[in-house]
């Protein structure tokens, strides 16, 4: 049987975060997520969506005529067909990234895909779901993101960096949770500690606010 995926939306926008921030990117947002982070801004992707064949998704993506594709959610790895989708996008010649919570195994992800793993801090309310074995599978093409809600989250993230040797493994991203910790305050903490991380803001929040349509 042909692979099918439950899709919330497919759209073209600028990448709002990660190493490719600001670059035109097609987003394939899969429906469903087993987590309920307190700051989630894509709760509309928890339910609903429409089933599409893998071929239909690839055709839709091709219509945007751009080279970068980001598969996101929800939690995209919650759908088994996510893995063949990622491989098919790579086979088609796209630069593919995956935005995942890290609460599900990433060992089956095609090696050509850039994994952006959002390790959940205590402030998210979902840190108990982290699969720390995923961190050992990250390489220098991958990225790990910490969304910082308060100083306790920052200190926790610093401990994770040290404990798992993350600075030598992959790029590290620190983001202030929108409207929870002042961006300047987080920047000052990073500078004071000379922390080997990339500070980032969610570009799309400043361009389009909380609008879903980009």
């Amino acid at each position: 049987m042909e692979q099918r995926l439950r899709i919330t939306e497919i759209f073209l926008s600028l990448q709002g975060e990660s190493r490719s921030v600001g670059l035109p990117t097609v987003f394939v947002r899969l429906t469903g997520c087993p987590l309920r982070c307190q700051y989630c801004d894509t709760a509309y992707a928890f339910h609903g969506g429409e089933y599409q064949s893998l071929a239909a998704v690839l055709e839709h993506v091709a219509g945007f005529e751009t080279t970068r594709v980001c598969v996101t959610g929800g939690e995209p790895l919650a759908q088994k067909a996510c893995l063949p989708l990622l491989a098919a996008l790579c086979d088609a010649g796209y630069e593919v990234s995956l935005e995942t919570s890290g609460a599900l195994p990433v060992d089956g992800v095609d090696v050509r895909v850039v994994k952006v793993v959002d390790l959940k801090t205590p402030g998210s309310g979902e840190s108990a779901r982290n699969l720390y074995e995923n961190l050992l599978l990250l390489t220098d093409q991958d990225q790990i993101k910490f969304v910082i809600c308060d100083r306790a989250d920052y200190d926790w993230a610093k401990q994770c960096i040290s404990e798992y040797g993350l600075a030598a493994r992959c790029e590290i991203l620190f983001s202030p949770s929108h409207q929870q910790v002042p961006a300047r305050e987080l920047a000052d903490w990073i500078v004071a500690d000379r922390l080997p991380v990339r500070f980032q803001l969610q570009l799309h929040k400043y361009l389009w606010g909380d609008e879903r349509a980009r």
Side-chain angles (χ1 to χ4, degrees), residues 4-135:
R4 293 202 312 161
L5 300 113
R6 202 161 131 203
I7 303 293
T8 291
E9 56 187 348
I10 301 176
F11 61 96
L12 176 66
S13 186
L14 299 181
Q15 176 57 264
E17 46 194 330
S18 79
R19 186 185 300 131
S20 56
V21 63
L23 293 173
T25 303
V26 176
F27 291 84
V28 180
R29 189 181 304 283
L30 275 59
T31 306
C33 183
L35 281 71
R36 291 296 182 268
C37 301
Q38 57 86 9
Y39 48 65
C40 181
D41 58 1
T42 54
Y44 63 89
F46 289 168
H47 309 287
E50 296 183 357
Y51 282 99
Q52 298 185 31
S53 68
L54 180 54
V57 173
L58 291 172
E59 182 179 4
H60 195 162
V61 170
F64 290 108
E65 300 181 344
T66 190
T67 60
R68 295 176 180 84
V69 181
C70 177
V71 177
T72 186
E75 169 48 73
L77 291 179
Q79 295 192 38
K80 292 182 179 179
C82 178
L83 296 179
L85 170 64
L86 293 168
L89 289 167
C90 291
D91 290 343
Y94 295 105
E95 297 176 35
V96 184
S97 62
L98 168 71
E99 293 184 349
T100 176
S101 66
L104 296 175
V106 300
D107 55 343
V109 174
D110 192 290
V111 296
R112 296 168 291 179
V113 174
V114 174
K115 297 182 288 292
V116 183
V117 176
D118 186 352
L119 196 68
K120 299 305 179 183
T121 63
S124 73
E126 291 285 14
S127 59
R129 305 293 293 271
N130 290 327
L131 290 182
Y132 292 99
E133 53 265 38
N134 280 336
L135 303 184

Side-chain angles (χ1 to χ4, degrees), residues 19 100-102 114-120 130-132 134-136 138-139 141-147 156-157 160-161 164 166-167 169-175 197-198 200:
R19 186 185 300 131
T100 176
S101 66
V114 174
K115 297 182 288 292
V116 183
V117 176
D118 186 352
L119 196 68
K120 299 305 179 183
N130 290 327
L131 290 182
Y132 292 99
N134 280 336
L135 303 184
L136 304 179
L138 300 181
T139 70
Q141 76 169 3
D142 299 321
Q143 299 155 71
I144 185 164
K145 180 174 71 170
F146 295 88
V147 178
W156 180 88
C160 284
I161 292 170
Y164 292 96
L166 294 179
R169 188 174 296 279
C170 62
E171 186 168 8
I172 306 167
L173 310 171
F174 271 32
S175 300
V197 306
R198 182 189 296 272
Q200 66 170 13

